[in-house]
Amino acid sequence: MLEFLNIHPAAFGLDISDLSVKVAQLKKSKGGFSLSSFGEFPIGPGIIEHGQIQKEKELAEILRGVRTQVQGEKIKTPYVIASLPEEQAFLQIIQLPRMNKEDLESAVRFEAENYVPYSLDTMEIDFEQVAPVVDHLDHVDVLLAALPKTTVESYVAVLKAAGLIPLALEIESSAVIRALILHETAPVPVLVVDLGATRTSFIVFTGYSLRFTASIAVSSSRLTQSIAESLHIGFAEAEALKIKYGLEDPASASGKKVLEALLPPLTDLVEQIKKHINYYESHAGHEHLSAPISTIQKIILCGGGANLKGIAQFLVGELHKEVGIGNPWVNILPTSLQELPPLSFAESLRYATVFGLALRAARAHDQSSSSKS
């Protein structure tokens, strides 16, 4: 989405969130790709708020240094595929009659007025046709995406001010799916729960496409803050207790206190998951799968919060659905590895978005190079 150039030079992925920037570059290797460069850089409070850049100069200064400060190989290319904030995006599956590509673009922009709850003059509109798993349709399904022009222009301006050249900008959820879903295909509806530092994102994917996204305020930081407030301790000490005990040690006095402190925000998380599952399942209807399944069959966890001990088992007990930890390497490595030094599997759960961005860059460059040879 929002691709700026038709050429595909070597590029890297750049995930920009409220509190950090993550960077990753992949290189072609035997049977897949290898991680050649990666890094995470903190962003001070107030520079980005709820996905909106408040201080462009400060963010550009941070981005200006990331290519030389990464772990692994220094990144030489200025070309980048960067993320756009999920909370600023509007996505909707729409149906249109079958038509040629040129007419489809005009029809999407005309039809968008009926779906996008903002003036189209203020929005960047993009779309992609959704391929059905079973093709017996008299229509086409289209994934419509819209973001405020001011948001997109702000991100582009910061990237250019940092000496970077954006090849494409992509909504976070698209990148997460590319990283976590094997071959980017799901025969049944899957819910990805991305437990981030400042928010949690819900992403429903089925067939070959995103179907639904939403963000809520329950976050990994909020879990830590709940421990800090309950036990009257500092944030850093609360974070250490959260990591040490999680949800798995209610037998010890400290573990029980941590669990009790975590239950209120986790109960909120469970209720939000139930609400969003119910919403999706009551509105599903254009999946066109090989079997008529409209209910969420599996939940996949990613983000730093997925490392909370016992979180998957807790959600299984509350939701009565299959819950698993996602594998951000599944479309990168030729075989499934639990650890790839120097980035551990646990650390890589925080890199799902930027891995998806880097994977898009690496695939496009690989295809471009292959076509020239």
Side-chain angles (χ1 to χ4, degrees):
M1 293 184 177
L2 292 178
E3 192 153 357
F4 299 110
L5 299 174
N6 292 322
I7 59 173
H8 298 289
F12 66 98
L14 181 68
D15 173 26
I16 304 171
S17 60
D18 283 9
L19 296 179
S20 70
V21 171
K22 296 184 184 70
V23 178
Q25 185 171 31
L26 302 174
K27 285 191 174 181
K28 184 70 176 176
S29 63
K30 186 176 180 181
F33 296 96
S34 61
L35 181 64
S36 58
S37 312
F38 69 95
E40 181 174 10
F41 307 90
I43 295 178
I47 294 178
I48 303 178
E49 294 179 353
H50 306 296
Q52 293 185 317
I53 301 172
Q54 305 295 325
K55 300 177 181 178
E56 291 188 359
K57 289 184 178 179
E58 286 86 340
L59 180 57
E61 187 61 33
I62 294 170
L63 297 183
R64 197 171 287 117
V66 298
R67 287 187 292 159
T68 58
Q69 297 171 25
V70 292
Q71 297 186 58
E73 300 176 14
K74 301 294 183 279
I75 297 175
K76 297 178 180 179
T77 178
Y79 292 101
V80 63
I81 293 181
S83 65
L84 287 170
E86 192 71 36
E87 62 263 56
Q88 296 289 317
F90 172 86
L91 293 103
Q92 175 76 42
I93 296 284
I94 64 175
Q95 285 186 312
L96 292 169
R98 286 186 178 273
M99 61 188 76
N100 62 44
K101 185 177 180 180
E102 292 74 19
D103 291 339
L104 182 62
E105 182 170 353
S106 299
V108 167
R109 296 190 180 278
F110 178 80
E111 197 69 20
E113 294 184 358
N114 297 322
Y115 293 93
V116 179
Y118 311 100
S119 170
L120 293 190
D121 292 339
T122 67
M123 305 296 287
E124 289 282 358
I125 304 295
D126 200 5
F127 73 96
E128 60 183 30
Q129 189 170 334
V130 178
V133 175
V134 178
D135 189 2
H136 56 265
L137 310 182
D138 60 355
H139 64 273
V140 294
D141 289 339
V142 173
L143 177 63
L144 172 68
L147 291 103
K149 286 182 178 179
T150 53
T151 299
V152 175
E153 290 167 355
S154 179
Y155 277 76
V156 171
V158 167
L159 292 171
K160 290 182 176 179
L164 303 175
I165 304 172
L167 288 181
L169 300 179
E170 185 169 65
I171 297 169
E172 291 170 346
S173 54
S174 296
V176 169
I177 290 300
R178 188 180 300 110
L180 293 180
I181 304 296
L182 181 64
H183 306 314
E184 295 174 65
T185 304
V188 296
V190 173
L191 171 65
V192 175
V193 178
D194 186 353
L195 297 156
T198 59
R199 59 185 168 84
T200 291
S201 296
F202 300 138
I203 309 165
V204 176
F205 184 90
T206 188
Y208 305 116
S209 176
L210 289 170
R211 301 291 171 170
F212 172 79
T213 66
S215 293
I216 63 170
V218 179
S219 64
S220 187
S221 294
R222 181 176 163 188
L223 296 181
T224 303
Q225 190 61 40
S226 184
I227 296 172
E229 292 171 357
S230 178
L231 302 185
H232 307 291
I233 57 178
F235 190 88
E237 186 179 353
E239 178 71 15
L241 290 175
K242 183 183 74 173
I243 293 171
K244 180 177 180 179
Y245 294 105
L247 309 175
E248 290 186 338
D249 192 14
S252 70
S254 296
K256 185 178 180 180
K257 290 179 180 179
V258 169
L259 178 60
E260 290 174 349
L262 288 173
L263 281 178
L266 287 176
T267 299
D268 187 10
L269 175 64
V270 168
E271 291 305 311
Q272 292 282 353
I273 293 175
K274 288 179 178 178
K275 183 180 79 171
H276 286 84
I277 286 177
N278 288 338
Y279 177 85
Y280 166 75
E281 292 180 348
S282 64
H283 289 75
H286 304 301
E287 281 70 12
H288 309 301
L289 305 173
S290 54
I293 300 172
S294 61
T295 55
I296 299 294
Q297 300 296 300
K298 183 177 181 179
I299 298 172
I300 298 174
L301 305 180
C302 69
N307 286 308
L308 180 67
K309 292 179 180 178
I311 183 65
Q313 295 86 341
F314 174 80
L315 292 177
V316 168
E318 295 293 322
L319 300 171
H320 308 293
K321 291 183 179 291
E322 180 184 352
V323 181
I325 305 298
N327 179 4
W329 304 99
V330 69
N331 289 319
I332 296 175
L333 302 174
T335 57
S336 179
L337 300 180
Q338 286 298 299
E339 194 160 322
L340 182 68
L343 187 63
S344 71
F345 181 81
E347 287 178 303
S348 72
L349 288 170
R350 296 186 292 107
Y351 279 72
T353 300
V354 77
F355 277 10
L357 297 167
L359 192 56
R360 174 175 172 173
R363 285 174 175 171
H365 180 60
D366 181 50
Q367 291 170 2
S368 179
S369 300
S370 298
S371 65
K372 294 176 183 177
S373 59

